[in-house]
Amino acid sequence: MKRTITHLADGRELIYFDRRDDADRSAIDRRALDPRPVASELRYDPLTEEWIAMAGHRQTRTFLPPADECPLCPSSETRSSEIPAHEYDVVVFENRFPSFSGNFGTYEDAGGLSEVRPGVGRCEVVCFTSEHSSSFSRLSDEQVGLVMEAWADRTAELSAIEGVEQVFCFENRGEEIGITLPHPHGQIYAYPYVTPRTKLQLGAASRHRGGNLFADVLAAERAAGVRVVAANELWTAFVPAAARWPFEVHVYPHRQTPDLAALTEEERAAFAPLYTSVLRALDGLFGVAMPYISAWHQAPVRQDRDLAYLHLELFSIRRAPGKLKYLAGSESAMGAFVNDVLPEEAARMLRSQVDL
């Protein structure tokens, strides 16, 4: 892999990840861009003990442009995009409209009982392929491996930023999910706090009697078998017994590891065919592209790394042909989920589509 660092016209960092050592990455961003926005403002909610980012500048971000104006496609002789090169393999760059950054502004007391502080951190965009009409499910194993190299690289680099407490790699796919750009891409958030869901999971792990909670969940699902969707020697994909979403799949390596940077070369290689087969199974359920969120759960940077267990949680809001699961009163107001599809039935349906 060749890794090349360059910068965009407004100073944002861009990194090319290439399979070829002779890839030319000398192209320059010739656009005239507005100054970078200041970092968001974090406000503390004393009732939930959670931090909320106030990022008003994100209201102006690009929203579903036509294909010939896509900012994630390579630049051409007649149009400049976020990627100056005329072709690329995998690209990572700082988000133009970040939720967190190191570009601080002025932060005033919000009043009440809410503490206010700057949204230190970093947000990056990961372009999985230069092919606008492709998808992660259609990437070759080699291309998935390059994406994983980029995820691992960025996890290690962002974890070293002062003030960053957790690194989150994820993909949103489909207009139903709320994407603003259809080009195959994901994002990476470097948070200045440990996220609420991670706190819940690690809290449960700390109270678990016996071995590691995540390892025990994996072992139990592999033993039961009924909810396993796909598996190989190093990874298992299963529908959790208490799935919140109509179609939800968790993908675990068989070895406990804290984050993507700690995966072995063999584990990275084994992940690609299993994961893309699960994505294709989702698309095959109803004969349409399945909207989904794919979320890597990694250990916090500075705490509970011995308890954490790297895994991916993948879920879709589509519950049937032409029908979506909306988060209504019980889920949105109370956080009390009601699932319309039995996990065992969801696993059976997905197994029937897996092409491993």
Side-chain angles (χ1 to χ4, degrees):
M1 182 194 73
K2 179 183 180 182
R3 179 179 181 271
T4 307
I5 300 176
T6 185
H7 291 83
L8 298 174
D10 56 3
R12 288 176 293 134
E13 189 174 60
L14 181 145
I15 309 167
Y16 293 100
F17 293 86
D18 290 294
R19 290 189 295 268
R20 305 185 334 270
D21 289 337
D22 62 349
D24 180 5
R25 298 307 175 204
S26 60
I28 298 172
D29 183 8
R30 303 185 185 280
R31 297 172 298 170
L33 300 177
D34 293 333
R36 299 166 69 178
V38 298
S40 63
E41 175 181 290
L42 292 184
R43 296 190 180 185
Y44 186 71
D45 183 347
L47 297 180
T48 62
E49 299 182 319
E50 296 174 1
W51 289 98
I52 312 299
M54 306 296 168
H57 60 271
R58 285 177 54 77
Q59 284 279 44
T60 61
R61 66 189 185 274
T62 308
F63 183 76
L64 297 177
D68 61 356
E69 297 178 15
C70 175
L72 305 186
C73 285
S75 291
S76 67
E77 296 295 339
T78 58
R79 190 183 73 89
S80 294
S81 72
E82 287 280 70
I83 297 95
H86 290 185
E87 51 78 30
Y88 66 83
D89 289 338
V90 173
V91 168
V92 177
F93 61 88
E94 289 184 78
N95 199 317
R96 191 174 174 183
F97 307 96
S99 299
F100 308 99
S101 79
N103 187 27
F104 299 153
T106 301
Y107 304 91
E108 299 179 358
D109 187 356
L113 296 180
S114 181
E115 179 186 347
V116 175
R117 59 185 174 99
V120 62
R122 181 150 150 158
C123 292
E124 298 182 338
V125 176
V126 184
C127 297
F128 302 141
T129 173
S130 61
E131 296 180 25
H132 181 84
S133 60
S134 188
S135 66
F136 203 110
S137 65
R138 292 162 58 187
L139 300 182
S140 68
D141 290 350
E142 184 181 33
Q143 186 73 2
V144 174
L146 192 58
V147 173
M148 295 193 78
E149 290 280 358
W151 281 336
D153 176 279
R154 304 316 302 149
T155 293
E157 291 284 328
L158 297 179
S159 294
I161 295 176
E162 183 177 357
V164 167
E165 299 295 334
Q166 185 176 351
V167 178
F168 174 45
C169 305
F170 64 101
E171 179 193 4
N172 300 326
R173 188 234 194 165
E175 288 190 38
E176 301 94 330
I177 289 294
I179 62 157
T180 56
L181 295 172
H183 191 109
H185 75 287
Q187 299 181 64
I188 305 176
Y189 275 23
Y191 294 104
Y193 52 79
V194 178
T195 59
R197 185 163 175 80
T198 298
K199 281 186 174 180
L200 283 173
Q201 290 188 349
L202 294 177
S206 69
R207 295 185 293 273
H208 180 64
R209 296 180 180 274
N212 179 275
L213 174 60
F214 300 97
D216 287 350
V217 167
L218 173 62
E221 291 294 348
R222 283 174 56 81
V226 66
R227 288 178 294 274
V228 171
V229 174
N232 59 30
E233 291 184 357
L234 298 177
W235 296 82
T236 294
F238 62 90
V239 178
R244 288 168 169 75
W245 304 94
F247 294 95
E248 178 177 345
V249 180
H250 294 188
V251 185
Y252 275 59
H254 295 171
R255 180 180 68 94
Q256 182 186 357
T257 186
D259 54 31
L260 287 155
L263 289 174
T264 66
E265 184 177 339
E266 292 75 18
E267 287 167 332
R268 294 178 190 180
F271 171 78
L274 183 137
Y275 180 55
T276 54
S277 72
V278 171
L279 293 180
R280 289 191 295 271
L282 282 170
D283 285 347
L285 282 177
F286 307 124
V288 296
M290 188 72 94
Y292 65 73
I293 292 174
S294 178
W296 279 108
H297 288 248
Q298 305 197 84
V301 173
R302 274 171 269 276
Q303 64 185 71
D304 294 327
R305 293 182 66 82
D306 59 326
L307 289 174
Y309 195 121
L310 171 74
H311 64 284
L312 183 143
E313 297 187 7
L314 169 72
F315 59 89
S316 177
I317 60 173
R318 188 176 297 285
R319 60 186 176 87
K323 297 179 180 179
L324 301 178
K325 175 181 177 61
Y326 293 100
L327 297 190
S330 184
E331 290 90 355
S332 293
M334 291 290 106
F337 274 71
V338 179
N339 192 350
D340 303 306
V341 181
L342 280 175
E344 293 76 17
E345 176 62 10
R348 184 197 65 77
M349 294 172 68
L350 286 166
R351 275 197 305 272
S352 71
Q353 299 291 327
V354 169
D355 55 9
L356 271 177

